[in-house]
Every structure is written in C-alpha cells, then in structure tokens.
Amino acid sequence: MACLAESAKRGALQLQRRGSALSRALALSRVGQLRARGHLQRKQPSVRPRRPGRKGGGIMELKKDINAVSIDMLLIVHSEKRRAAQGTHSDQQADPSALLQRRGGFQGIGNGVRRWQKLEGNDLHENLVEKQHPSQPQVITSYDSQGTQLTVEVHPRDAMPQLLKKFSLAKRLQGDKNGNTRPRQPGGKDAHDVYLRPGSWVQSLPARWRSEPDWNQAYPWDRSSLKSMSLDLRQFEKLDLYASQVTAKSGLDELVSDLLQEAHTDLERVRAIWIWICHHIEYDIAAAQEKDRQAFKPTDILRTQKTNCDGYAGLFERMCRIAGVQCITVPGYSKGFGYQTGQSFSGEFDHAWNAVYLEGRWHLVDSTWGSGLVDTTTSKFTFLYNEFYFLTHPALFIEDHFPDNKNWQLLKPPQSLRQFENNMYHKSEFYNKGMLSAHPETSMIRTVNGKATVTIESCAPTLFMFMLNGKQEHGLLSLRKNGMKLEVYPPTMGTHKLQIFAKGNSDIYSSVLEYTLKCNYVDMGVRLPAELHQPVGPSWFSEQMGIMKPSHPDPIIHTSDGRCSISFSVEEGINVLASLHGDDGPITEETQRRYIFQLHWEKRTELKVQLPHAGKFALKIFVKKRQEPGNYIFVFNYLLCCANTKVNWPMFPESFGNWGQDNELLEPLSGVLPANRNIPFKLKLHGIAKVLVKGQDTWPLTLNHEGYWEGSCSTAGCQEVYVMVLENANHNFYSYILKYKVNAQ
C-alpha cells in the first residue's frame, strides 16, 4: 500500500490538473463547511494522517455525539491497476447486508439464555445499526499516471458510506462522550482489511500510526491475583456501598451521573456501574424462555429492573459509554446455566459479556454472572454478588467463556473451541475459595484398578467434601494444609458423576469441581463403610478443634487381631466422644460406642478399640467444649481394617456419667464376663473414697500403693455386674460407673 499521505497528495493534484469543476466545487464546498463548523482546522503544510477525533488537518471529519462518532467524509486511497469505467463503481454498490454478520441482539431459547442472531429492526443499543438513506451518494474517482486511484464520496448525512460497505465497515465508529474513538480490538492485523465492530477503530492504518499498546494480552496466570490488573478491593468499599444504594432513574444519563459522584477514575467509573447493575438488575428467567422476545432496551431494563445476559451486557456497555469509558459487548458460548460436563458447543451463541478498556489494556467482565444465580431445581433467580467476574484474569475467564472472536480471549495463543469443550472447568467458587489447581486437569477421568484419585492445591487450609452420584460414599478424602486428596472407588462399572465441594468463611459448602468418572473395573475387596464421612484422618482441622499429636497420622489403620489403641493430646476444656460404625445393619448409638473404651493419662486421650469381626469400620471422632451447650461436633474419622476372619471381640463395659475423664480401666476390658468365675478388677479412679463391685454379692476393692483399686468378684448366680463408687466417706450414697454383662450358663 502506498503511503497514504503521498497518495492523497498526488490524487488531489491529479484532480486539480484534470480541471474538474464539479470535483473542485464539491471538495472545496465540503471542506469549507467543515471548517465553518469547526470540525477541521486549516490545512497544514504537509498532509499527515491523524487518529480519528484528534485536532489537526486530515482526511476524515468525525461528528461528535454522546453515543457515537459518524463519518461525514471519508477519503480512502489505495493503489491498484486502472479498471474500465463501468467496472470502477460496480463494487461500490455491493449489498451491505451480505457483509454484516452476527449483528445486534439475542434470540430467547428454552434453557434460560438468549442466542446471538442477526437483528431486523432496532438494534440492542438503539444506535449501532446504520439507516440506509434513499439518496444516492456522489462518487468522484481519479487516476494518476502511476495507477493510483483517488476516490472521494460525498453522501447525505447519516447515510452509510458506500466505500465502507465495500470494505465491510458495517457499523458506525463508536466513540466516547468526548468524541474520541476507541482503540482497535485486540489481536487485529495491520493488513488493509478495514473491519469495524463495536469498540474498534479503523484497523487499516499501519501500526506506526497507532499509539495503542500491544493488544495480544498474552500473560499467564501467576496465582497472585484473580484479576487482570492489580487491585486492592478495600479501596472500593466506600464506592461499592454508595453505588449499591443509588436508586434507579428514569434515564440512563441521570443514573450514570449519580453513580459517578463518587467515581473519579475510569476504573472507579466501571466499578460503580458494575456494582449498581449487579445489585439492582434481576435475571429474567421467564423472558429467557420466550423465543420471539426482542432484545432488551436499556430504558426497558431500568423500568422493569429485569433482563437477560444480552440486556446485562448491553446496559453495561451503554452506561460505560455515557461515563466516557470504552466498552464493547462480546457474544459467545458459556459453561453456565444448564451446562453438562463434557458438553459440545455448536450453532448460535448462548451468552454475552463485556470488555472494558482501562489503563491501556482490555479487561473482561460478566455482570450477568456477577449479580446472582438461578436455582436449577426451582428456576428462581437469587441475588448473590460474585466478585470473581469483575476484571477476571483472561486465563481464568476462558474456562467458562468462549468469545465469537478468538481475539477477545485476550490470550496468546488463543484456545480452540475443542480445547474449550475438553478443558477442565473450575467454577468461580474454586478460585473464590482460594484454590489454585486440580489434578487431573480434564473433566473426564477413568479409574485405574477400580480407583480414581483427585488432588486440589489451595493457597490456604480449606474444608472439602465430595459426592459420588449424589451420595457421600465410596471415597477417602483427607485434608492437607495446602489442599486435599480424594480417592474414589465406584461401586459399579459405568459412568459416574463426581462433585467436589469446598467451604469458605460461611457454613455453606459450594460446588467447585465436577468430573465425569468412567469405571470399567470394580475391586470388590475395597468396600468402604457407608458411614465413612469426610474428612478421613487427622489434619489441620482436627488441630484447630483441639486434637493434636495423634499416634496415627495416617487415615487408614490396619489391625491383624482386631484390636488397636489410638491416642492424641486434647486441649484443656475439650471433651472427646468416639463411635464405631460398620455395615452390619442398624445398631444403636450406645452399641456403637461400646466397642471403644476411652482412657485419659498424662494429658492424652486413649481410645481402645476392639472390632466385633473382620471387615472395614469407620471410627468417628467428635469434640465439644465442656462449658458450652450444644451437641458434639464431628471432626474426622479413621478407617479401621481387619482381614482376620477369626476376630470376634465383645463390647467394652458400659460406662455411666460418673466415669471421670481421668479414670483408667486396666481389667476387665471385656464388657461380657464368663459365668461362675472369679474376675479380677483393676482400675484407677480419682477423688474416690470407696469402690465396690456388685454381682450376686458385693466385694470391696482396695487401693494399692500405685494408686490402683484392685480386687475380684464372682459372677456366680448373676446376669450383670456393676462397679460402684462412694465419692465422700461421710455419705452413704454410691454411684454406678461401669456395667458388665454375664454370659448365660
């Protein structure tokens, strides 16, 4: 392409030499009008191209408007071989409708979103579609001896320039309230394809004539922030509170003016608009299901305070433009409401969001998803502000947003649609709750020898839980300080749905990951108890709850004889409760606890466990502060495994409320005593005056020099044996602390 300045100069001289009175009259008349209106200054000594909207001599006059910049005169110079006169103008009359693609609003569909379609009639933003003028423009074309073509078109005001139609300049140049046009879209080529969409400017200008930075925003996520620019959200606290409380106005200009009272930078202006929309505009589910519903207009949205994703995006763009901030609407595919893991995307687009230009770069926002969510079971919208979708880092935004134009990914290299479909989808809560990565990184995983393993890395300790096909079963989830590890054992072959949830500062667990699990083999030997809940094994959370320095740090304990002893330190003022659960059918809570006997010594708690038979059992640990009312809180559980089929241990003796925290039982540990036998007793009790063992008769125990109460009792002629204590020697009232059963003869 020949230099624009030189070509323009040669073309103008050629016109003058030809002596075309009409050409000179039209040119001079038009320039005179422009100068008279103050849109052009006097011609400088040398003709230089200028950026639209800036002062100085040039070739393009841009009409200022609060919402748009229209072209009243356009001079396009390009070099080509001279063609026959009858062919010179034929291309200029091309049908512009063939050059316009994906213009305007959305078409409602049944799944609660609106699809991008060609618009017939009014545009979503009311001022983007050019109206064709019935009058025909006058075109003047001249050639010089070197084959340079100079074409000047004079057309009625507000008419679509024919030359723009030829070069696919389908929409009017958009500008801010000061008349300045926007930077071109990211990733645009410097070739001579003049392509404009909302938010771009003439891309045919060579790179050396543009002052914008590199729009290929290729920067990976460094885990330091979820945002595409450095932000301290605390700086927005006052602005957010103010913007959320601004009431809706009858017009956008008045509303934006009120919002900007506390906003002094472009970033603050965008933030105020974002906060207001997210806290005042409700997602219109009913309208989303009306397929013939026309696109929402900003005035209608203000009146009803309801809209769909296209309306959210359109309103956000319109308000930003009024505020003088460059913004566009981006249509595309999304992994939103109704999305299924592994789903393919084709056909019309189902979502829209925005890109805003701040501090020399484009940034992405989605006010639809920032405002709340739709309950899939009730199909009701709930306002639930989501900070994640404000200036989201492009490397994270691409996980659930795929734009129609790959350049709006703001990534290099951009992802393909197939990659978008296959990549792991981390929900916004995944990052909101401090998670950094997950493995595997694909949404479809297969078991190996009947097991699948999932790990998550987080930047802070986090509580997790999982569901396999809607139940908290068939998995071992252990917590780590920097994440978690989950091992899943599907009970049947086939396809399974695996969901992982995380808990933040609230008491609510939110879904953060979903996997489709393919299982082609089931290990029947790995059957986990249904009562084995998460988490398994001690962790940072058990320490936080007062249980420290466990004797068994691993979540799984193997025992060859069906017995084991587990101990740990317990904070002062904390009570511990444990219960054993297998899959032998329903048993009472009392029986579950009878296979565990709890002892205390040297500031440690010991749990003596006797398994009733071979198999796998869940040993649940609960805690409660002694001085606080309420129930015990589940902390974690161990998985106890025994393969010895000869194991057949009885329960421990039943203990009563007067069994003290610091008491210790050495014998007998079995809660079932043989009949007609003398049974030795040995136990340590604190603060006790007398101890008796009562069967058919009563036998006293004596205190030895080691501090243990010792003695024996006959089981002849009785079915139960009790241990009783007298706390005060001056009283005659004895309390039961232990109960044994006696086998039938």
Side-chain angles (χ1 to χ4, degrees):
M1 177 178 178
C3 174
L4 181 59
E6 294 301 323
S7 297
K9 186 175 181 179
R10 289 198 302 269
L13 292 175
Q14 183 69 12
L15 277 177
Q16 188 175 9
R17 286 196 298 268
R18 286 178 173 269
S20 172
L22 175 60
S23 300
R24 288 196 301 272
L26 287 172
L28 293 175
S29 173
R30 187 61 176 154
V31 171
Q33 295 174 15
L34 297 178
R35 286 177 176 169
R37 296 211 308 263
H39 289 291
L40 288 179
Q41 294 182 352
R42 288 193 173 275
K43 186 175 180 181
Q44 302 298 319
S46 60
V47 179
R48 297 291 298 172
R50 66 183 177 90
R51 181 176 174 180
R54 292 182 178 176
K55 295 181 179 181
I59 58 172
M60 188 178 299
E61 186 269 326
L62 300 177
K63 179 182 177 181
K64 295 184 179 179
D65 184 81
I66 191 170
N67 294 322
V69 178
S70 62
I71 300 174
D72 283 341
M73 184 177 77
L74 176 67
L75 178 65
I76 297 179
V77 181
H78 64 96
S79 180
E80 63 177 23
K81 293 185 178 180
R82 186 170 184 174
R83 290 180 283 181
Q86 62 272 22
T88 302
H89 308 293
S90 60
D91 290 341
Q92 299 169 5
Q93 309 300 327
D95 181 8
S97 63
L99 301 174
L100 305 181
Q101 298 180 355
R102 298 193 185 102
R103 300 181 56 190
F106 286 76
Q107 175 68 29
I109 60 172
N111 65 352
V113 291
R114 305 177 71 84
R115 296 192 183 279
W116 194 258
Q117 66 165 5
K118 293 182 180 179
L119 193 72
E120 296 179 2
N122 293 334
D123 180 85
L124 171 65
H125 309 306
E126 302 179 328
N127 67 343
L128 297 182
V129 178
E130 293 291 346
K131 298 179 180 179
Q132 301 298 318
H133 199 283
S135 303
Q136 294 296 323
Q138 298 182 11
V139 179
I140 306 168
T141 302
S142 176
Y143 297 88
D144 64 11
S145 59
Q146 299 179 358
T148 298
Q149 174 183 324
L150 176 65
T151 301
V152 177
E153 174 186 327
V154 180
H155 61 85
R157 182 169 307 190
D158 296 330
M160 171 78 76
Q162 298 298 313
L163 290 174
L164 298 191
K165 296 178 184 178
K166 177 179 178 181
F167 288 101
S168 302
L169 209 67
K171 294 186 177 182
R172 180 181 301 183
L173 279 171
Q174 300 301 306
D176 60 24
K177 62 191 297 184
N178 298 318
N180 298 320
T181 55
R182 304 172 183 166
R184 68 189 186 100
Q185 62 175 330
K189 299 179 180 179
D190 289 331
H192 310 302
D193 55 332
V194 183
Y195 174 76
L196 287 185
R197 54 178 296 139
S200 62
W201 70 298
V202 181
Q203 297 181 22
S204 59
L205 297 180
R208 64 181 181 275
W209 290 344
R210 283 189 260 106
S211 59
E212 290 79 8
D214 181 12
W215 295 116
N216 287 322
Q217 298 186 184
Y219 54 102
W221 185 45
D222 61 5
R223 299 185 174 189
S224 63
S225 172
L226 305 181
K227 305 297 186 181
S228 54
M229 64 188 299
S230 179
L231 289 182
D232 181 1
L233 295 179
R234 292 173 297 183
Q235 67 178 313
F236 295 132
E237 291 179 355
K238 180 180 178 182
L239 178 63
D240 289 355
L241 179 62
Y242 170 79
S244 64
Q245 296 176 348
V246 172
T247 57
K249 307 298 180 180
S250 58
L252 279 181
D253 294 284
E254 184 180 0
L255 172 60
V256 173
S257 177
D258 284 354
L259 286 173
L260 300 190
Q261 294 298 317
E262 297 292 332
H264 308 292
T265 65
D266 280 356
L267 174 60
E268 291 179 347
R269 295 181 185 103
V270 169
R271 180 71 180 189
I273 293 170
W274 155 270
I275 288 293
W276 189 89
I277 292 178
C278 289
H279 286 80
H280 290 83
I281 305 302
E282 177 181 348
Y283 188 80
D284 194 336
I285 301 173
Q289 299 173 349
E290 299 177 13
K291 295 185 177 181
D292 297 330
R293 176 92 176 228
Q294 292 295 320
F296 289 89
K297 295 181 179 180
T299 52
D300 295 333
I301 299 173
L302 284 189
R303 177 176 53 83
T304 64
Q305 294 200 4
K306 289 185 177 182
T307 188
N308 287 30
C309 52
D310 60 330
Y312 276 101
L315 179 64
F316 187 88
E317 178 183 350
R318 186 69 174 273
M319 292 176 72
C320 283
R321 281 195 277 141
I322 294 175
V325 178
Q326 300 153 12
C327 176
I328 73 156
T329 296
V330 181
Y333 296 122
S334 68
K335 296 180 179 179
F337 180 73
Y339 168 75
Q340 299 295 325
T341 303
Q343 161 184 334
S344 298
F345 294 89
S346 62
E348 297 173 326
F349 299 111
D350 62 5
H351 194 44
W353 53 94
N354 296 98
V356 291
Y357 185 66
L358 299 169
E359 299 183 8
R361 305 182 90 168
W362 286 102
H363 303 269
L364 303 169
V365 299
D366 188 340
S367 55
T368 308
W369 291 6
S371 62
L373 50 83
V374 176
D375 189 321
T376 56
T377 57
T378 63
S379 294
K380 292 184 178 180
F381 174 82
T382 301
F383 278 104
L384 185 63
Y385 177 72
N386 192 342
E387 175 64 39
F388 179 77
Y389 292 104
F390 178 73
L391 307 185
T392 315
H393 195 291
L396 308 181
F397 201 78
I398 190 61
E399 292 195 19
D400 47 19
H401 291 74
F402 188 85
D404 67 329
N405 185 326
K406 64 181 181 181
N407 293 327
W408 286 114
Q409 295 180 23
L410 306 183
L411 297 172
K412 185 177 182 181
Q415 286 191 13
S416 66
L417 181 58
R418 179 63 59 86
Q419 288 175 305
F420 175 74
E421 293 172 345
N422 295 335
N423 283 353
M424 186 62 211
Y425 170 36
H426 304 101
K427 298 184 179 182
S428 62
E429 287 301 293
F430 181 89
Y431 297 107
N432 283 340
K433 287 183 166 49
M435 273 145 273
L436 302 172
S437 64
H439 183 83
E441 296 179 346
T442 57
S443 58
M444 185 81 66
I445 56 179
R446 298 182 182 274
T447 60
V448 178
N449 296 326
K451 180 180 76 171
T453 303
V454 176
T455 59
I456 291 180
E457 181 186 359
S458 63
C459 61
T462 305
L463 289 175
F464 294 89
M465 62 172 285
F466 77 94
M467 282 190 176
L468 185 66
N469 302 324
K471 295 182 179 180
Q472 300 181 45
E473 299 178 0
H474 311 294
L476 297 173
L477 189 153
S478 55
L479 298 177
R480 301 172 176 178
K481 287 187 176 180
N482 62 338
M484 72 89 174
K485 179 182 179 181
L486 171 64
E487 295 179 345
V488 183
Y489 302 86
T492 60
M493 292 188 294
T495 302
H496 304 267
K497 182 179 181 180
L498 175 61
Q499 297 171 285
I500 298 177
F501 303 82
K503 181 181 177 181
N505 296 327
S506 67
D507 292 332
I508 300 175
Y509 280 86
S510 302
S511 176
V512 295
L513 283 179
E514 287 188 10
Y515 286 96
T516 299
L517 191 59
K518 298 283 187 179
C519 179
N520 56 9
Y521 169 78
V522 176
D523 187 351
M524 301 304 296
V526 187
R527 181 186 176 188
L528 301 177
E531 290 291 329
L532 186 72
H533 293 165
Q534 309 101 40
V536 180
S539 66
W540 61 266
F541 179 66
S542 56
E543 290 185 3
Q544 190 178 88
M545 299 300 290
I547 297 178
M548 299 163 290
K549 299 179 180 179
S551 60
H552 294 70
D554 295 329
I556 303 177
I557 299 175
H558 293 274
T559 171
S560 59
D561 63 356
R563 295 184 297 182
C564 64
S565 176
I566 303 166
S567 64
F568 37 76
S569 298
V570 179
E571 282 187 1
E572 186 69 26
I574 297 293
N575 285 342
V576 177
L577 182 67
S579 60
L580 191 69
H581 303 261
D583 285 338
D584 296 329
I587 56 177
T588 65
E589 189 173 322
E590 176 187 346
T591 305
Q592 293 168 355
R593 291 196 295 266
R594 291 282 298 279
Y595 287 97
I596 307 163
F597 199 81
Q598 186 171 322
L599 302 172
H600 299 271
W601 46 272
E602 296 180 358
K603 297 184 180 180
R604 288 182 69 85
T605 293
E606 180 182 5
L607 302 176
K608 291 183 178 292
V609 182
Q610 294 183 166
L611 300 182
H613 53 75
K616 294 183 175 65
F617 297 84
L619 176 62
K620 293 189 174 182
I621 311 295
F622 303 83
V623 300
K624 176 182 178 297
K625 290 186 177 181
R626 296 174 190 170
Q627 304 302 325
E628 292 185 2
N631 299 322
Y632 280 81
I633 301 173
F634 170 74
V635 180
F636 71 98
N637 44 207
Y638 283 104
L639 175 63
L640 306 184
C641 304
C642 179
N644 187 353
T645 57
K646 296 181 180 180
V647 167
N648 185 21
W649 292 106
M651 295 180 292
F652 286 101
E654 182 179 356
S655 61
F656 298 102
N658 287 336
W659 176 263
Q661 286 285 328
D662 297 329
N663 293 345
E664 182 179 350
L665 176 66
L666 271 67
E667 57 180 350
L669 290 175
S670 174
V672 181
L673 304 178
N676 301 318
R677 294 276 301 273
N678 284 327
I679 306 298
F681 282 78
K682 185 177 182 180
L683 61 162
K684 181 176 286 188
L685 305 173
H686 299 277
I688 299 300
K690 292 182 181 180
V691 180
L692 301 176
V693 178
K694 182 180 181 301
Q696 183 71 20
D697 299 312
T698 301
W699 288 267
L701 300 183
T702 59
L703 183 64
N704 65 19
H705 66 281
E706 295 178 345
Y708 288 95
W709 293 89
E710 292 182 307
S712 63
C713 169
S714 173
T715 59
C718 64
Q719 297 179 343
E720 297 174 334
V721 174
Y722 294 89
V723 176
M724 304 182 298
V725 297
L726 181 66
E727 296 182 3
N728 192 325
N730 297 323
H731 295 169
N732 295 321
F733 180 76
Y734 282 82
S735 302
Y736 291 102
I737 60 172
L738 294 176
K739 176 184 177 180
Y740 292 85
K741 288 187 176 182
V742 179
N743 274 330
Q745 296 183 3

